Amino acid sequence: MVWLDNSRIIAIFAVVVLHAAVSPVVDTPFGSTDWWAGNLINAFSRWCVPVFVMISGALLLAPGKTEGAGTFYRKRAARVLVPLLFWSAFYLLWVFIKGSLKGNPPGAAALLHRIAIGEPYYHLWFLYMLVPLYLVTPLLCQIVARTTRKQLTWLVALAFVLAALNAIDARLSPRSSTFFPAWFLSYVPYFLLGHLIATDTRTPSPALLWSTLVASGLLTAVGCHALATRAGLQTGLYFYDYLSLTVIPMAASCLYLLKSRSRPLAGRHTRQLSGLTMGVYLIHPLAIEVLQRIGFGPLDYNPAVAIPAVAALAFLAALATSVAISRLPYLRRTI
């Protein structure tokens, strides 16, 4: 399905924009013009990760899939476990090198702790969440096959309510660490929603979808500022959570809008670009950091201009690196 390839490409660029917009939110004076630039760009990019989860659900829960659990697990292991292991080791080495250059190399316990909490580097949490989600996918396929669309819709709605309440509790009662194998539970409703949207024969009106997207983005930005004013920035960042009350409708409307575009985004190269999105996801934090090192970070210029510029350069650098790796016999499996 062409629209899923298009969705991957657009969503991965939004991920890069999202990460480029972090510094202005956490490292500039709260409420300043630079802060608002980062806040607005960040808020309108929060749909990207949920869309990736929904894309997986649309593909893996598609009607008519007949592969057995063993075949499914072998395919997913090759697709996820190899990149997870390779890039976990790579970024742990990167953390050690950066710490050593600053004269404060992390010890083995600190590096192992990163693995234990599912974050060898900040973006790798997504792969650690995917592993248990893929483990239960054959079961979810059985649930989808044995329930009516109405029943599945109610199940997804209930699951979203529980996940949203959990997100609120996690923000109001922050914990020092979390049990990462349980993360996937909060993303099951997105996974199932991806299937529901992909198989929906009705299309909501574009006006409704765009209105929902814009309203959700604005409420995310304004809500973050309002809550941060009252309870501090860390609490205000609740609205950035992928399961916040404003991001859920934003993500759903985005996928419907992406589904409405059936023309290949990059012509005959669309499928190839789609296949490289995993590599871009894994490599782009390194590209952003290198740009910051050479004086072209999101805070080195006006963030409203610098964030999209840094994101575009980091995206292109990560994409070029992914292309190069994809042509190497042994390393290609890592992306």
Side-chain angles (χ1 to χ4, degrees):
M1 290 180 280
V2 173
W3 71 272
L4 289 174
D5 288 331
N6 290 342
S7 299
R8 278 202 190 100
I9 297 168
I10 295 173
I12 193 58
F13 183 73
V15 168
V16 182
V17 171
L18 180 99
H19 289 154
V22 170
S23 296
V25 173
V26 299
D27 296 327
T28 61
F30 175 72
S32 65
T33 302
D34 287 350
W35 185 88
W36 269 107
N39 180 36
L40 284 167
I41 294 174
N42 210 314
F44 276 93
S45 304
R46 304 309 297 185
W47 54 268
C48 55
V49 169
V51 161
F52 267 121
V53 179
M54 288 190 285
I55 289 171
S56 292
L59 289 169
L60 300 180
L61 301 178
K65 291 186 74 70
T66 57
E67 64 184 11
T71 301
F72 175 85
Y73 288 140
R74 284 194 295 272
K75 288 182 178 180
R76 299 289 85 72
R79 187 75 180 109
V80 176
L81 288 182
V82 173
L84 183 147
L85 294 173
F86 178 87
W87 290 101
S88 291
F90 176 90
Y91 278 106
L92 288 176
L93 178 60
W94 179 245
V95 168
F96 181 81
I97 291 173
K98 289 198 299 181
S100 298
L101 291 175
K102 294 177 181 178
N104 186 29
L111 296 177
L112 289 174
H113 177 70
R114 285 175 171 265
I115 297 177
I117 63 172
E119 292 186 4
Y121 218 61
Y122 65 88
H123 67 309
L124 292 182
W125 73 269
F126 184 71
L127 269 66
Y128 280 75
M129 181 275 294
L130 276 184
V131 171
L133 181 59
Y134 284 170
L135 285 175
V136 301
T137 294
L139 173 61
L140 295 177
C141 286
Q142 295 298 317
I143 293 174
V144 168
R146 286 168 169 74
T147 56
T148 65
R149 186 174 184 85
K150 183 177 181 179
Q151 290 171 331
L152 190 60
T153 300
W154 277 107
L155 174 62
V156 169
L158 176 60
F160 267 125
V161 169
L162 296 175
L165 289 174
N166 181 68
I168 294 172
D169 175 68
R171 182 58 58 176
L172 295 179
S173 306
R175 300 165 180 81
S176 58
S177 62
T178 56
F179 185 57
F180 78 83
W183 289 346
F184 83 96
L185 291 170
S186 294
Y187 290 89
V188 167
Y190 275 128
F191 198 68
L192 295 172
L193 181 59
H195 165 75
L196 287 175
I197 292 176
T199 56
D200 195 349
T201 57
R202 299 167 299 175
T203 302
S205 71
L208 175 62
L209 294 174
W210 280 109
S211 298
T212 301
L213 173 59
V214 173
S216 298
L218 289 175
L219 286 173
T220 300
V222 173
C224 176
H225 179 265
L227 187 57
T229 301
R230 291 175 174 270
L233 182 59
Q234 287 304 311
T235 301
L237 291 178
Y238 154 75
F239 281 94
Y240 284 7
D241 195 286
Y242 299 125
L243 286 150
S244 77
L245 296 175
T246 56
V247 171
I248 292 171
M250 184 195 310
S253 62
C254 271
L255 192 65
Y256 266 116
L257 287 168
L258 290 166
K259 182 186 175 186
S260 66
R261 181 187 173 91
S262 58
R263 182 176 299 177
L265 185 66
R268 61 189 179 88
H269 299 294
T270 299
R271 191 61 185 272
Q272 181 183 9
L273 285 175
S274 175
L276 292 169
T277 52
M278 172 72 87
V280 174
Y281 183 86
L282 293 165
I283 297 166
H284 79 272
L286 191 62
I288 292 175
E289 289 189 30
V290 170
L291 288 170
Q292 290 175 325
R293 288 280 182 177
I294 62 177
F296 194 68
L299 293 179
D300 292 317
Y301 306 91
N302 182 344
V305 177
I307 291 171
V310 169
L313 289 174
F315 176 82
L316 291 174
L319 180 61
T321 306
S322 297
V323 171
I325 292 176
S326 70
R327 295 175 178 175
L328 299 175
Y330 295 104
L331 287 180
R332 69 177 60 167
R333 295 182 62 196
T334 65
I335 60 168

